[in-house]
Amino acid sequence: MSEQIEQARPRERVVVIGAGMVAHRFVEAMRSRDDAGRFDITVLGDEPRPPYDRVALTSYFTGRDPEDLNLGGAELWADPRVTLAKRTEVTDVDRNAKVVTTAKGVRHPYDHLVLATGSYAAVPPVKGNDLQGCFVYRTIDDVAALRGYVEELRAAHPERPVRGAVVGGGLLGLEAAGALQALGAESTVIEFAPRLMPLQVDDGGGQELRRLIENLGVEVRTGTATQRVLAKRGRRVTGMEFADGEKIDVDVVVFATGVRPRDELARAAGLEVGERGGVVVDDRCRTSDESIHAIGEVACIQGRVWGLVAPGYTMAEIAADALLGGESSFPGADTSTKLKLLGVDVASFGDAFATTPGALEVVYSDSVTGSYKKLVVSDDAQTLLGGILVGDASAYAGLRPLVGRRLGADPSSFIVPAGAGEGAASSLELPDDAAVCSCNNVSAGQIRSAVDDGASNLADVKSCTKAGTSCGSCLPIVKKLFESHQEKAGIAVDRSLCEHIPMPRSELFNAIKVAGLGTFSEIMERFGTGRGCDICKPTIANILASLGGGHILAGEQSTLQDSNDHVLANLQKDGTYSVVPRIPGGEITPDGLLVIAQVAKDFGLYTKITGGQRIDLFGARIDQLPAIWKRLVDAGFESGHAYGKSLRTVKSCVGQSWCRYGVQDSVRMAIDLELRYRGLRSPHKLKLGVSGCARECAEARGKDAGVIATENGWNLYVGGNGGATPKHAQLLAQDLSDAELITAIDRFFMYYVSTAERLQRTAPWLEELDGGIERLREVIFDDALGLCDDLDAMMTHHVGAYADEWREVLEDPEKLAQFTGFVNDATDADPDLLYVVEREQVRPATADDRARAAAGELDLVDSERRPVMIAGSTLEVRA
C-alpha cells in the first residue's frame, strides 16, 4: 500500500538557475541519490552550452575543442528526470507564486529553487575599459572572442607580434597571460599589489614567481595602478597609461581583477544579501526563503563568498542532501590551491601567511633552480599549520593533508632537497579524517573504506569516491593510501605478471633487457617457473619483439604469440582473417588503390575503409594469406600490424599542401612518424594523429601521441585513448621543431614501453605515473632519470632493425609452411565457410541465414564465392 502511495505522489519540481560546475555537481548528486524518483530537475543556463570546466579554460588556446571541457556524459542530460535549457536567461523570481520567468516569457513553477548563478568578471573603473580590444577572462565565449581578436590582429600586422596586457596578477591574470602567449602575443602583467598572486603567496614566493614568469618571456609590473586605456584612432585599443604617467603601447587588454557574485535576481526577489554581495545562506545552504537554496560563488556562507570550486562542490552536495531530507551542514572550506600557471607550479595551503599567534616559518629558497618552499608550523615546531610552494610543488600532495597534524620530524626535512620532501610527507600515516582530495572533499578514511568495500584498483577508488577526478593533484597520495591499506588489510598487492612470473611486466622488461636474454626458455629458467601460460607467453613474446628479438615467428617465439600475431593477420568471427596493408599517413596513389582493389576482387574479400585511414580486406582463409601478401608486397605494401600490440596507424588531415587553413605539412609528418615507429611492439596498441592546424581534423587528441600544427611548429599531446573509457591526451610540449618533436615522441614511446604493465594503455599509464605529465616532461626534456641516451639508443635500434614481417615469411619456406588450411591438404577450401551477399559484398552467414538457405529463402556462397545449395545437412555447389 505504501508503495502505491509513493508512486501516486507527484514529483517535486526543482529549478536550478545557472549551469556551471557547481550546478552540474548538484544535479549529479540529486540524480545519484534520488532512488525513489521524487524530483524533476530543470536547469536554466544562459550560456549556449552545457556545464563545462572553467578551471581548464586556458587549454582552449592549445588546440582543445570547447566540447572537450564539457562536464559529465550525455546520459546525465538524457535522464527523463533532468531537463537542461541552454541560452535561457532568467529575469524574475516570484517567491509568492514560486515561479521563475525567463527573458522569453517562459514560466517555470518550482517547489524548490536553487540559485547557482555563480559570478561575473569584475572590470575596474578605468577610462577606456569598454574600447574595442578590451576583454575579460571568464567564459568560453570570452576566451573565444579574445582568440579571434588576436588572430585578426596578427593577420593585419604580420610584421610584428601582437602586444597584449593583462590587468591583474592573480590566478586569472596569469592564466590570461598564458593564453596570450599561446596565441603568439607578447604579454605584460600589471598588478596593483607589490607581488604576483598576493592572496596565495608571500613576498619571498612572489619574488621567485616573478623571476620564473619573467624567464618565460612575460613582462611583469607590480605596484602599478592602471589609469586608463588609450585609443589613438576610432575605438581600438592602442596603449595604456598608468597612475605615475608612464604609457605603453598595447593592442589588446585583458581585465582579470577578480569576480563578483551574480546576486541581482536574489536582490530583486528580496532575499538577504551580504554586505559585500552574495546571497546569505545558513550552513545548510538555505536562503532567507526556506524554499530557496544558494550554492557556489553566488552564496555568502559563514560570512564570506568563496571563489573556489571545492567549497562550491561541498555546497552542492549539502543542498542536495537537504532536499532529500538529510542534516549535513557546511564544515568550512579548504582554501588550499595547487596550480600550474605558464608552466610554473604554485601551491598554498593552510595558514600560508603565518597569522596564527606564535607561528614559526621554515623557508627554503633556491633561485638557481627556481624553487621557493615555506612551511608554517606551531611555536614548538611540531604541528604543521600551512605552507607555500613555488616552482616545485611536488610535496603538496603529501603535505596538505597534514595541516593541523604533528609532523613527527624536523620540518625542514619536508622541503629541503636532501630530505626528499614528498617522500617524507607521504610516508607518514594519515589519520582517517585527513583531507586528501579538497576538490571533492574526500578523506583518507574514505579511500581506506573504498578498499574495504572491494575497490581493487585505482580506477575503482576514483569511481566510488570521486578522489582525483577534478584537478588530479591528489592522485599520488591517493594511490599510496590505496596500496598501503591493501597491504595492511591483508590484501596482497600482487604485482606478479601471472602465477609463473613473480614480477610485473615493467620489472620483467628491464630484467630481460639487463640480462640480455633472447628466448622464452632462458627467461623462464632465470626469472620464472613452469612452462608458462596465455598471459606470460605473449607478454614475453611482446617484450622480445620490443627489444629487437627477431621475427615473431622465428624459433620458440612462434609458439608464444596470440592468435593474431601467430598468423600476422586478424582473426574474424567465422575463422577467416583480415589483411590490412600499411598506408602511411593515409596517403595512397591511384596505382596502389588499383592493386588493393584487384587483390580484393580476385580473392573475393570484403573491403572496408578503417577509422585509421587504411583499407581492411576481410574473409581471407589462412591458406590464402601468403598469396595475398605476395601480391601486396610486390606492389610495395607491407604489413599494417593491425594484429599486434604495436603501432597501428598515424592518422592525418590533408594539411598545408591542400587545405587553406593548414599551417604545417601534416601528411609528410604523419608519413615520417609511421615509417619510424612501424613494427614497434608495446604493452598495448599505439595510435598517432597529426593535424595541420588547430581545427584538429585528424582527432589527434584522442591518440596515444597527438600532434597539432602551430605557426611556430608542433604541439605534442600524449596519453589519449579511445575505447570503452576514452581519454583526451594531455599537452606535453608546444611549438616543437620537427627534430624536437620526433625526439620527444621517441623518448615517450620508449619510456612507456619500458615501464608500463601488461595491456596498459598510455592513458592509465600516464595517470598512474607519479607526478603525471609534469614528471614525464622532466624525464623526457630534462633527463631527470638520466635515461634519455638509453631511450634514444633503444629507438635507434628499433628503426635500424625494422623488417616487414610479411616479406620475411614469404622468403622463409619454414615459416611459409605454417600457412595451410588443413595439415593433410593445403589446397581444399573450408566447406564450413558460407557467406551472404549484401550491398554487393559478402559477410559471414549466421545460423539463421543457414536455416533460411536450407528452406530456400536465401542464397549463400562458399569461400570461393561460388553459389551453394543446402539440402538438409548436405551442401552442394551449384553449377
Side-chain angles (χ1 to χ4, degrees):
M1 183 65 180
S2 61
E3 290 183 3
Q4 293 176 350
I5 294 174
E6 183 67 33
Q7 291 173 359
R9 181 182 301 164
R11 290 179 178 174
E12 298 177 55
R13 298 162 297 186
V14 179
V15 173
V16 182
I17 304 178
M21 298 176 70
V22 172
H24 171 263
R25 175 55 68 89
F26 171 80
V27 175
E28 276 198 329
M30 289 291 293
R31 183 170 174 261
S32 63
R33 300 180 197 175
D34 182 20
D35 296 330
R38 288 174 48 199
F39 299 94
D40 283 328
I41 305 171
T42 300
V43 181
L44 308 175
D46 56 7
E47 290 193 63
R49 50 184 54 85
Y52 58 88
D53 185 359
R54 294 188 194 277
V55 177
L57 269 183
T58 304
S59 65
Y60 179 72
F61 295 96
T62 55
R64 193 171 183 183
D65 190 288
E67 292 186 2
D68 295 341
L69 301 179
N70 288 350
L71 294 171
E75 70 279 359
L76 178 64
W77 309 114
D79 189 322
R81 294 177 296 166
V82 178
T83 301
L84 172 63
K86 297 174 285 188
R87 302 180 188 272
T88 301
E89 179 188 359
V90 176
T91 56
D92 180 69
V93 175
D94 186 337
R95 292 167 52 196
N96 293 324
K98 288 191 173 183
V99 171
V100 301
T101 305
T102 72
K104 294 181 178 180
V106 179
R107 293 164 57 84
H108 294 273
Y110 67 83
D111 298 300
H112 308 279
L113 179 63
V114 178
L115 299 177
T117 48
S119 58
Y120 63 90
V123 177
V126 300
K127 188 175 180 179
N129 62 15
D130 58 347
L131 290 171
Q132 188 177 2
C134 290
F135 297 88
V136 294
Y137 196 85
R138 180 65 179 161
T139 68
I140 285 182
D141 289 341
D142 293 335
V143 298
L146 174 62
R147 183 168 76 175
Y149 191 78
V150 171
E151 289 175 347
E152 178 187 335
L153 290 176
R154 288 172 61 185
H157 301 285
E159 73 282 358
R160 65 169 177 83
V162 175
R163 299 162 300 198
V166 179
V167 180
L171 164 60
L172 284 178
L174 293 183
E175 286 207 353
L180 287 173
Q181 274 207 329
L183 291 170
E186 293 180 347
S187 186
T188 299
V189 174
I190 300 129
E191 170 57 46
F192 179 74
R195 63 178 181 271
L196 294 174
M197 297 192 70
L199 299 180
Q200 285 81 26
V201 302
D202 59 6
D203 287 338
Q207 290 175 11
E208 194 56 55
L209 178 59
R210 176 172 185 158
R211 187 179 296 110
L212 292 168
I213 296 295
E214 289 180 331
N215 287 341
L216 295 171
V218 176
E219 184 180 349
V220 176
R221 291 170 174 260
T222 54
T224 302
T226 301
Q227 180 87 3
R228 60 177 177 153
V229 181
L230 306 174
K232 291 181 181 178
R233 296 178 301 277
R235 298 279 299 165
R236 280 184 178 265
V237 170
T238 59
M240 298 179 71
E241 181 179 347
F242 303 122
D244 60 4
E246 185 181 358
K247 299 177 181 178
I248 63 172
D249 294 330
V250 296
D251 303 302
V252 60
V253 176
V254 181
F255 290 103
T257 53
V259 296
R260 301 289 184 271
R262 293 183 58 183
D263 57 13
E264 60 275 10
L265 279 174
R267 290 177 184 271
L271 295 174
E272 182 182 357
V273 296
E275 182 178 348
R276 296 186 177 181
V279 187
V280 174
V281 298
D282 62 15
D283 283 352
R284 298 183 65 198
C285 297
R286 291 177 302 190
T287 69
S288 50
D289 183 329
E290 290 196 356
S291 298
I292 303 177
H293 289 70
I295 58 178
E297 292 177 326
V298 74
C300 177
I301 191 168
Q302 296 183 350
R304 64 171 292 185
V305 173
W306 302 85
L308 298 170
V309 69
Y313 280 170
T314 301
M315 286 184 249
E317 298 281 350
I318 290 169
D321 183 69
L323 265 60
L324 291 163
E327 297 292 334
S328 60
S329 61
F330 190 71
D334 182 359
T335 58
S336 302
T337 55
K338 179 176 181 288
L339 314 161
K340 181 171 285 291
L341 303 165
L342 288 161
V344 177
D345 282 341
V346 180
S348 66
F349 52 95
D351 182 13
F353 294 95
T355 60
T356 303
L360 305 176
E361 297 182 351
V362 181
V363 177
Y364 169 80
S365 180
D366 183 354
S367 296
V368 175
T369 61
S371 177
Y372 175 88
K373 304 177 184 180
K374 182 181 83 171
L375 293 187
V376 179
V377 295
S378 59
D379 54 6
D380 61 358
Q382 295 297 307
T383 303
L384 180 64
L385 302 178
I388 295 171
L389 306 168
V390 176
D392 175 14
S394 58
Y396 172 81
L399 286 170
R400 186 189 56 75
L402 297 176
V403 172
R405 316 280 179 182
R406 293 182 67 82
L407 290 172
D410 180 1
S412 65
S413 67
F414 290 83
I415 55 176
V416 298
E422 184 179 9
S426 60
S427 66
L428 294 181
E429 180 69 20
L430 293 179
D432 281 346
D433 61 344
V436 172
C437 175
S438 59
C439 291
N440 296 290
N441 196 28
V442 182
S443 67
Q446 287 174 279
I447 302 297
R448 296 184 179 111
S449 294
V451 177
D452 295 338
D453 292 340
S456 60
N457 52 50
L458 188 61
D460 290 344
V461 173
K462 291 173 62 180
S463 176
C464 64
T465 67
K466 296 189 182 297
T469 58
S470 294
C471 76
S473 64
C474 63
L475 277 177
I477 198 70
V478 170
K479 181 180 179 183
K480 289 181 175 66
L481 279 169
F482 163 68
E483 292 183 347
S484 65
H485 191 64
Q486 271 198 321
E487 292 172 348
K488 290 181 179 179
I491 304 171
V493 184
D494 187 3
R495 299 180 179 87
S496 299
L497 180 64
C498 67
E499 60 183 296
H500 305 105
I501 302 291
M503 64 180 78
R505 179 203 173 273
S506 54
E507 290 183 14
L508 180 62
F509 180 95
N510 288 290
I512 294 171
K513 180 182 176 183
V514 171
L517 305 180
T519 68
F520 178 75
S521 299
E522 292 173 336
I523 293 167
M524 294 302 290
E525 183 178 354
R526 180 80 173 269
F527 300 118
T529 59
R531 298 181 179 180
C533 63
D534 59 356
I535 294 176
C536 60
K537 283 184 175 181
T539 301
I540 290 174
N542 177 275
I543 291 173
L544 291 174
S546 297
L547 294 173
H551 196 281
I552 63 172
L553 299 185
E556 267 189 333
Q557 287 209 60
S558 176
T559 62
L560 306 178
Q561 307 298 333
D562 281 322
S563 57
N564 286 340
D565 291 273
H566 190 70
V567 294
L568 312 185
N570 272 11
L571 180 65
Q572 302 304 313
K573 63 189 294 184
D574 64 340
T576 61
Y577 296 87
S578 72
V579 175
V580 186
R582 185 177 302 285
I583 302 177
E587 182 181 81
I588 187 169
T589 66
D591 286 340
L593 285 171
L594 286 171
V595 169
I596 293 176
Q598 196 60 50
V599 167
K601 187 173 183 178
D602 290 350
F603 289 89
L605 305 177
Y606 169 86
T607 57
K608 173 78 169 62
I609 305 294
T610 72
Q613 299 180 334
R614 299 192 295 193
I615 300 174
D616 211 340
L617 309 174
F618 293 83
R621 302 192 310 267
I622 191 169
D623 57 288
Q624 293 176 322
L625 290 176
I628 293 172
W629 295 341
K630 186 175 190 314
R631 295 269 294 273
L632 293 170
V633 168
D634 288 347
F637 291 102
E638 59 184 29
S639 171
H641 287 102
Y643 47 82
K645 300 295 184 287
S646 58
L647 176 76
R648 295 297 176 86
T649 65
V650 182
K651 185 176 182 178
S652 77
C653 67
V654 73
Q656 186 181 52
S657 301
W658 292 89
C659 179
R660 67 186 186 276
Y661 299 113
V663 294
Q664 300 289 347
D665 189 350
S666 56
V667 177
R668 175 194 57 79
M669 177 55 71
I671 292 172
D672 290 348
L673 294 177
E674 184 153 352
L675 295 180
R676 184 170 184 81
Y677 304 124
R678 58 185 173 179
L680 176 64
R681 288 315 204 280
S682 59
H684 212 296
K685 61 187 175 185
L686 294 172
K687 295 183 178 181
L688 290 84
V690 184
S691 287
C693 75
R695 284 171 172 78
E696 242 285 71
C697 293
E699 301 171 326
R701 293 210 56 219
K703 304 293 190 289
D704 299 279
V707 180
I708 301 177
T710 71
E711 291 190 355
N712 301 315
W714 305 96
N715 287 353
L716 174 60
Y717 296 80
V718 297
N721 291 165
T725 54
K727 298 284 186 180
H728 285 292
Q730 300 180 50
L731 180 64
L732 182 65
Q734 301 182 69
D735 295 331
L736 300 175
S737 66
D738 288 8
E740 291 170 334
L741 174 69
I742 290 172
T743 297
I745 299 175
D746 283 355
R747 293 173 180 175
F748 166 63
F749 277 163
M750 283 308 180
Y751 188 44
Y752 161 68
V753 167
S754 302
T755 59
E757 302 304 338
R758 172 180 174 269
L759 300 181
Q760 185 178 40
R761 295 204 67 181
T762 55
W765 170 80
L766 182 57
E767 190 173 81
E768 293 183 12
L769 181 68
D770 282 347
I773 194 74
E774 291 83 5
R775 181 57 173 170
L776 185 60
R777 287 193 190 99
E778 294 171 357
V779 171
I780 289 176
F781 296 108
D782 303 331
D783 202 11
L785 297 177
L787 292 175
C788 283
D789 287 345
D790 294 324
L791 300 175
D792 293 343
M794 288 172 66
M795 185 58 75
T796 299
H797 174 76
H798 161 74
V799 173
Y802 170 77
D804 177 33
E805 292 168 357
W806 286 355
R807 181 181 293 276
E808 290 195 334
V809 168
L810 295 173
E811 293 174 351
D812 186 334
E814 185 176 340
K815 295 187 182 73
L816 198 58
Q818 301 178 37
F819 294 89
T820 57
F822 298 95
V823 173
N824 62 342
D825 190 342
T827 60
D828 266 2
D830 187 343
D832 290 329
L833 300 177
L834 298 176
Y835 301 90
V836 178
V837 178
E838 281 186 354
R839 298 183 298 276
E840 300 183 26
Q841 296 207 80
V842 295
R843 66 161 173 82
T846 65
D848 182 60
D849 292 332
R850 292 170 186 254
R852 291 179 60 200
E857 299 174 358
L858 186 67
D859 293 327
L860 302 181
V861 297
D862 68 2
S863 60
E864 297 290 341
R865 306 308 181 248
R866 298 171 298 185
V868 299
M869 179 176 62
I870 301 178
S873 60
T874 304
L875 182 151
E876 296 180 1
V877 177
R878 294 178 180 173

